[in-house]
Amino acid sequence: MQQQTSVFGKGLLQHFEFHPEYHNLNHGSFGAAPRDIRKHMRLHQDRYEAMPDRYLRYEYPAILDESRAAMAKLVNAPLDTVVFVSNATTGVNVVLRNLVWDDDGRDEIVYFTTIYGGCAKVIDYVVDTSLGKVSSRPINISYPCEDEDIVKSFHATLDDIARAGKRAKVCLFDVVSSLPGVRFPFEAITKACRDVGVLSLVDGAQGVGMVDIDLGQVDPDFFVSNCHKWLFVPRSCAVFYVPLRNQHLITSTIPTSHGYVPKTGSRFNPLPPSSKSAFVNNFEFVGTVDMSPYVCVKEAIEWRERVLGGEAKIREYIQMLARKGGEATTRILGTKVLDNASQSMSKCAMVNVALPIDVGLASASTQDWMMRTMSKEYKTFVALIAHEGQLWARLSAQVYLDIEDFEWAGHMLLELCKRVKNRENSKI
């Protein structure tokens, strides 16, 4: 098939199903899938409906393997280390709920304070239900800061843990932090974990499709990344990577299903026999859920190559647009972009722009009003973050956007801030 050429920007909206009046400036939260990929998903849903047993038992596993192979190639990982789960939070749950904590109570889960709130709650749950076997320890981050400062903070925290008579067992950190949306030095922290014998759990919820992921080079202990955000796979799908050396640590899916191998002996499994590894077989069927997004991964990767020119060109455009779009937005707002001197924080497809409003005026209820008003009146949504005494707006760059969209966002945010200053919200 002849490769199509494509110009990034508004012309690509024809491939998506947004409302004509909607400005999707928040791709980083829930993603979006092109119409052709959604049709592919519905095709498999229809095949499932037509012959449920035939499809699920005998056709789906081979189709799923094709998606796994496409993903393994994309992230440079062995096929037997790659499976799919519904989302990144599920992958983090799988790891933290499978790890076994020592009875001496000295184990600690280390995490950075900018991790996703849902994953922080997973840590809380594990600690709360461990009967004192494990505790958690945060590493505080105040942006902007340089990558080397983050690595130093990691080592300083490990020193604190040692002085307290504890030991760090696993460290959870991002590829690109969610709020604020900045690139995290996940490669350097993965190496730092490996150097000191701490398991690395990488939450790449914002990862695949936005930044270059080379798992063969980075070599984390556990990695999960949503495919339904930046890779254009329909919701809900995430790649879950566990190297062979650690697969014995992951004995159960969530929920536990037929793939679990109990210590007490074998149990009846109604599914066809499989020659795949215990790890791969475990995640192939996890109860009756809609797994059609999983079989869209290969199609999405091929669509991005055929229509958009491939991953490198996509990354180049969306990262350029985030940078230039952020500059255009702050010129309108008269503010600044959140970044460090080396600009390593902004090497992604999200940008955080400061709002011209006193953070003391922007209470949690005011921020809620602003985001609700965006959705209802302006037909858009931009996440707001209070960080280090400043209110920030996080904007996502994507192939179907251009500079005009960021300029529109700048005027929208400026008007919204003026409405807050004028006490338009009766709850302020």
Side-chain angles (χ1 to χ4, degrees), residues 318-337:
I318 60 179
Q319 293 183 19
M320 175 278 295
L321 181 59
R323 183 178 67 256
K324 292 187 176 180
E327 293 170 355
T329 306
T330 54
R331 280 197 297 270
I332 294 168
L333 295 172
T335 59
K336 61 182 179 179
V337 168

